[in-house]
């Protein structure tokens, strides 16, 4: 199953970052690295992004990795949506929003997130 890919949704190009059901470790790290490569190859402030973290778990190490990832990719992101942020992940998301200085909208489903991104206008 491909976890990091661009798709077109309602005429908008959107980066899907699917870490759903994932646990900390090598697969998570490799997935984040692949996302970095795709994002950093795009023009500044051009990427519409969905980060689907439904039912995944995190360790201190993976939270640190995500923090560096979000702060590092900020110049490339037009806007971002997160799916499945609840409990601990919601607290991590709040912290990442503060560190990165950007808005990251949270949604219960991927479809809601995609609808938000498709309707996004600067």
């Amino acid at each position: 199953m491909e976890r990091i890919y661009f798709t077109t949704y309602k005429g908008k190009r959107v980066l899907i970052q699917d870490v759903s059901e994932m646990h900390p470790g090598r697969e998570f790290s490799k997935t984040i690295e692949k996302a970095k490569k795709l994002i950093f190859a795009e023009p500044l402030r051009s990427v519409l992004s969905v980060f689907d973290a439904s039912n995944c778990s995190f360790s201190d190490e993976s939270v640190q990795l995500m923090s560096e990832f979000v702060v590092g990719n900020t110049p490339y992101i037009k806007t971002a949506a997160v799916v499945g942020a609840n409990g601990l992940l919601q607290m991590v998301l709040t912290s990442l929003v503060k560190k990165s200085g950007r808005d990251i909208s949270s949604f219960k489903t991927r479809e809601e997130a995609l609808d938000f991104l498709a309707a996004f206008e600067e």
Side-chain angles (χ1 to χ4, degrees):
M1 171 176 78
E2 191 62 38
R3 290 191 172 268
I4 308 296
Y5 58 94
F6 280 100
T7 189
T8 301
Y9 185 81
K10 295 185 179 178
K12 299 279 181 107
R13 186 169 181 251
V14 178
L15 177 64
I16 304 294
Q17 300 163 89
D18 183 0
V19 298
S20 63
E21 309 290 335
M22 202 177 272
H23 303 289
R26 185 171 168 81
E27 182 185 14
F28 184 83
S29 298
K30 286 175 69 175
T31 302
I32 295 299
E33 283 304 313
K34 182 175 181 181
K36 279 184 189 179
K37 287 179 183 175
L38 282 178
I39 291 169
F40 292 174
E42 296 297 313
L44 296 176
R45 299 226 2 103
S46 69
V47 179
L48 298 173
S49 170
V50 172
F51 191 87
D52 189 343
S54 301
N55 301 314
C56 69
S57 58
F58 295 95
S59 66
D60 289 344
E61 182 180 318
S62 62
V63 167
Q64 180 63 34
L65 182 65
M66 278 185 27
S67 178
E68 292 168 2
F69 171 63
V70 169
V71 171
N73 72 29
T74 292
Y76 299 88
I77 303 297
K78 184 182 283 190
T79 194
V82 174
V83 178
N86 51 38
L88 177 60
L89 182 55
Q90 185 61 48
M91 292 187 327
V92 169
L93 179 62
T94 301
S95 172
L96 291 176
V97 166
K98 288 179 185 174
K99 279 185 177 181
S100 67
R102 69 180 205 228
D103 290 329
I104 302 174
S105 300
S106 184
F107 298 90
K108 291 182 181 177
T109 69
R110 190 180 294 188
E111 185 174 3
E112 289 173 339
L114 287 167
D115 284 339
F116 165 77
L117 294 173
F120 183 78
E121 299 290 334
E122 278 191 284

